[in-house]
Amino acid sequence: MKIGAHVSISGSRVSSDDETPPYDDIRNAVHRQRAFGGNCGQIFTTSPQVWAQPEISDEAAEGFQEETEEKLEGPWVIHSAYLVNLCTPKEDLRRKSKESMQAELDAADKLGIPYVNVHLGAHTGAGVEQGLDNAANVIDDLDVPEDVTILIESDAGSGTKLGGEFEHLAGIIERTETDIGICIDTAHTLVAGNDLTTPEAVDETVQRFDDEVGLEYLEYIHLNDSKHDVGTHKDEHAHIGEGYIGEDGMKAIVNHPDLRYLPFALETPTEDGRGFAWNIETVKELRED
C-alpha cells in the first residue's frame, strides 16, 4: 500500500533513525515520512502563503532522491502555493500563477518528483467556461518537464472555485493540449456533493467519476475524512474514520479495486493528541489483504 502524509521540509536537523545523518534541508521530508509510518507523500517546496521561489541546492536534491529511492516506496507530489489561481481573469495574477507553477515544475524535475498538484482556482465572476479556458491557457503556456505531470485537484466547490464538479475536471482535460492527471481529495469530493459514506456510495461515485472524467486520469488521492457532510462545500478535514465519511466509507475507499493501488497522501489534522502517525496506522488497519 502506498500511504503517507503531507510533511514539512522545514527545520534544522531531523533524522528518523540512527543510521542516517541529519540534514537541514528538503531531505527532512524523507525522515519525517518514515517517522510517521508513511512510504510516499506530499510536500510544499516553499511557503504556500507567499509568492516565493523554491531554493534547493544540487546537493540537497541529489540527497533527497537517494533517500527517497532507498527508504520510500511510492511517489512524492509537490503541492503548489495556495495563491495560484489558474482560472483568474486578472492578467497580473495569471502571470504570477504561471511563474509559480513553472518554478514548482522545475523543482519537481530537479528532485525527481513525478507530480505537481494544483487547484483550478476561482473564476471570480468570469464564468465556468471562461475560467476553464483561462486555466487551460496557463497550463499550455508552461514548460512541463518530460517526467513531471500536473495534477488538478478536486475542490470543495465553494463560491466561484472550480473543480468541485467532475464536469469541471473533465472540462480542463478536454481543453488543454498538455497531458495532465487528476488528484481526488476525498473530503473535498464529499462536501462537493458526492456521497462516500458507504461501500455502495463509493462504488457509485467512482463509477460516475469514470463515466464523466475517466479513471485513467486519476493518479493520486488525498485521503481525508471531513468534519462536514455531503454537499456543504465546507473544507475542514477530520481524522480518518471519525468524520462524515466514517469508517465504512474510508474502508471502502482504500479497498476499492479501482483505487487501492493508487498512492494516498493524508492531510488530516493534528489534534486530540493524534496526528499523521495515528491516521496512517488507522488506514493500514482498514486495508484488506
Side-chain angles (χ1 to χ4, degrees), residues 3-289:
I3 178 71
H6 182 120
V7 298
S8 172
I9 68 171
S10 65
S12 56
R13 298 176 71 81
V14 177
S15 178
S16 62
D17 56 54
D18 295 331
E19 299 177 358
T20 304
Y23 301 107
D24 59 357
D25 51 40
I26 198 165
R27 285 166 280 192
N28 286 338
V30 179
H31 306 303
R32 287 195 173 107
Q33 196 64 256
R34 283 169 53 86
F36 290 137
N39 58 21
C40 67
Q42 181 173 262
I43 59 170
F44 292 122
T45 61
T46 186
S47 171
Q49 306 285 2
V50 298
W51 297 113
Q53 299 288 315
E55 297 181 1
I56 304 166
S57 69
D58 292 342
E59 179 185 3
E62 182 178 351
F64 175 86
Q65 291 192 58
E66 291 175 353
E67 294 283 336
T68 294
E69 184 176 350
E70 291 175 5
K71 299 185 177 181
L72 301 181
E73 298 293 332
W76 287 104
V77 56
I78 292 174
H79 196 300
S80 64
Y82 293 141
L83 300 178
V84 169
N85 186 347
L86 303 182
C87 294
T88 182
K90 300 176 181 178
E91 290 295 337
D92 185 55
L93 180 53
R94 188 183 307 176
R95 176 183 57 79
K96 290 180 178 178
S97 297
K98 177 185 172 182
E99 290 173 354
S100 179
M101 280 295 295
Q102 188 63 60
E104 299 291 14
L105 291 167
D106 294 341
D109 189 39
K110 185 172 185 176
L111 292 166
I113 293 178
Y115 301 115
V116 173
N117 180 77
V118 64
H119 291 266
L120 284 172
H123 65 71
T124 62
V128 173
E129 298 302 316
Q130 185 61 56
L132 292 173
D133 286 344
N134 292 343
N137 289 336
V138 173
I139 290 170
D140 287 341
D141 279 346
L142 293 168
D143 182 11
V144 182
E146 182 177 357
D147 296 325
V148 180
T149 299
I150 296 172
L151 301 183
I152 304 299
E153 181 178 346
S154 63
D155 197 89
S158 60
T160 65
K161 291 181 179 178
L162 300 184
E165 298 180 22
F166 292 161
E167 181 182 354
H168 300 164
L169 303 178
I172 191 63
I173 291 171
E174 291 169 359
R175 283 167 168 79
T176 181
E177 298 178 358
T178 306
D179 290 331
I180 61 175
I182 301 297
C183 172
I184 284 292
D185 183 304
T186 54
H188 296 170
T189 300
L190 181 85
V191 301
N194 306 282
D195 195 356
L196 293 170
T197 60
T198 67
E200 295 77 16
V202 170
D203 285 341
E204 181 181 345
T205 295
V206 171
Q207 185 60 58
R208 282 196 297 104
F209 179 89
D210 192 24
D211 291 342
E212 296 184 34
V213 184
L215 281 167
E216 66 270 23
Y217 292 102
L218 183 57
E219 302 203 34
Y220 224 105
I221 294 177
H222 284 172
L223 190 67
N224 301 301
D225 213 326
S226 172
K227 292 185 178 180
H228 303 281
D229 207 349
V230 180
T232 57
H233 303 292
K234 295 180 179 180
D235 182 11
E236 193 174 6
H237 299 172
H239 291 308
I240 298 296
E242 297 193 357
Y244 278 88
I245 295 177
E247 185 173 316
D248 289 346
M250 280 293 168
K251 186 173 183 178
I253 291 168
V254 300
N255 291 292
H256 193 283
D258 291 322
L259 308 179
R260 62 181 285 128
Y261 299 110
L262 293 169
F264 297 91
L266 278 65
E267 301 166 320
T268 46
T270 298
E271 59 187 19
D272 305 323
R274 293 170 291 176
F276 286 138
W278 184 91
N279 281 281
I280 288 173
E281 183 58 31
T282 298
V283 173
K284 291 178 178 178
E285 291 173 357
L286 294 175
R287 181 68 166 229
E288 297 172 348
D289 294 335

